[in-house]
Amino acid sequence: MRYDYLIVGSGLFGATFAHCAAKAGKACLVLEKRAHTGGNVHCDNVSEITVHTYGAHIFHTSNEEVWRFVNDLVPFVPFVNSPVAKCHGKLYNLPFNMNTFYQLWGCTSPQEAADIIERQRKDCAVREPRNLEEQALSLVGRDIYETLIRDYTEKQWGRPCTELPAFIIKRLPVRFTFDNNYFNDTFQGIPKGGYNHLVDALLKGIQVQTCTDFFSDREKWQNMAGTVVYTGMIDEFYGFRFGHLEWRSVRFETETVPTQNFQGVAVVNYTSHEQPFTRIIEHKHFEPGAGAFPLDKTVVSREYSSGWKPGAEPFYPVNDERNNALYRKYEALAEKEPHVIFGGRLAEYRYYDMDDVVERSLACFKNIKSARS
C-alpha cells in the first residue's frame, strides 16, 4: 500500500478530506474521472469572465469555523444572492418578501400582505396535504403558488405538483420585510476569481489524477491505499445491485452575448411553462466590482432540468419514499465496509449546500483522527 487514503472524487468533500489528511502527514491520492478537479463547483474562463460551469454556486454559512476555514485558503468577495423571478413578462423579487407582495398585490404594509396570505390559505382549505401542490397552498395560498412555485417546480422535477410528495417543501420562506437577500446565513460570498482557486488550495501538494475512473481498475486502486474515501454514487459502488437510485440532471446552454449587461442580476428564475428552461445565470454579476470585465460582452447560461440516465451528471437526488428505501439498502452495505468512507452528495444520496459538505468532511476526518489517537 502506497497511500494512507485513496480519495475517489475531487469535489468539496474529497478535496477537503485530502487537505486535512495531508496536513496530518498522511499520504493521499485523489482520483477524478473528469478532466478537471472540483466536481460541480468547477469554473471555466469564457470571454475573460469566470463562468460557474455547473450552475450558480454561492457559498453561504452560519458556521464560523467553516467560513474561517475557506477564507484562510483563499480570499472571498462579498456577494448577496438576490434572485429575480420572471413570470408572463413580469418580474418578482425572491425570496417571498414585501417587495414580492407589492409586485403581486400592491401591498404596502406587512399586515395587509399577511391578511391576504392568510385569507388565501383558508380559502384553499387544506388540512392534511397529500402532495406538493396542497402543501404549498396550505403555506402561502394560491397566488404565490400559481405565479412563482407551480410551473417552476414542475419543470425542475419533470412531473405535476400533484404527483410530487408534500415533504419536498416542508416550509416556504415568507418575509414581511423589504429584504431580497435569499439566504439567512451570517456569512455569504464567492472565492475571488472562482472556485478553482479554492479547490487548488485544498489540493496543493497532493497527488491528483484526472481523467481516471476508479471503476476502470477498481481492485488495483483499492489495493494502493489503506482506506478509500468514496464520494461517487453509492449505487454504482455496489454495481447497482438493488437498482438505480433516481436523480434529476441539468443541461446548460452557455453563450457569449454582445452586450455589457444582459439581465442586471446573477440569477433570474423563469417560473412559467412559457420557457422550457428554469433559469438564466449571468456570470459576471457573481463578482461585482471584483475586477475589470469586458464592456462589450457578457456570458449567460440557460438551465434545463431533465431526468437522469447513465452517462448524465446526477445533480439532485429524488428523495421520495421509493428512492429513500432503496438508498437504505445501499447504506446498510456501506456500514459494513471496514476500509471505505462514504461522503458527500452522491455517496449519501442527499442534497447538501457547500458549507454542509465542507463541515461534514472536516468532522469526518476529525472523528477518524480521534478514534485512532
Side-chain angles (χ1 to χ4, degrees), residues 223-235:
N223 288 336
M224 291 179 69
T227 300
V228 174
V229 178
Y230 180 77
T231 71
M233 295 190 298
I234 190 171
D235 50 353

Side-chain angles (χ1 to χ4, degrees), residues 9-24:
S10 64
L12 284 180
F13 190 98
T16 299
F17 190 98
H19 177 83
C20 294
K23 282 187 68 176

Side-chain angles (χ1 to χ4, degrees), residues 125-178:
V126 178
R127 293 185 178 179
E128 294 186 10
R130 296 166 297 178
N131 53 54
L132 187 146
E133 176 171 285
E134 292 184 353
Q135 176 78 332
L137 291 171
S138 70
L139 292 171
V140 294
R142 189 165 298 280
D143 287 350
I144 295 175
Y145 169 68
E146 293 184 349
T147 306
L148 300 172
I149 298 174
R150 183 185 59 197
D151 291 9
Y152 184 86
T153 303
E154 291 181 350
K155 287 192 290 186
Q156 195 165 36
W157 292 100
R159 65 193 72 178
C161 287
T162 52
E163 296 178 11
L164 290 167
F167 68 76
I168 288 181
I169 50 169
K170 295 180 179 179
R171 67 180 188 86
L172 288 169
V174 175
R175 297 178 185 161
F176 295 101
T177 58
F178 290 88

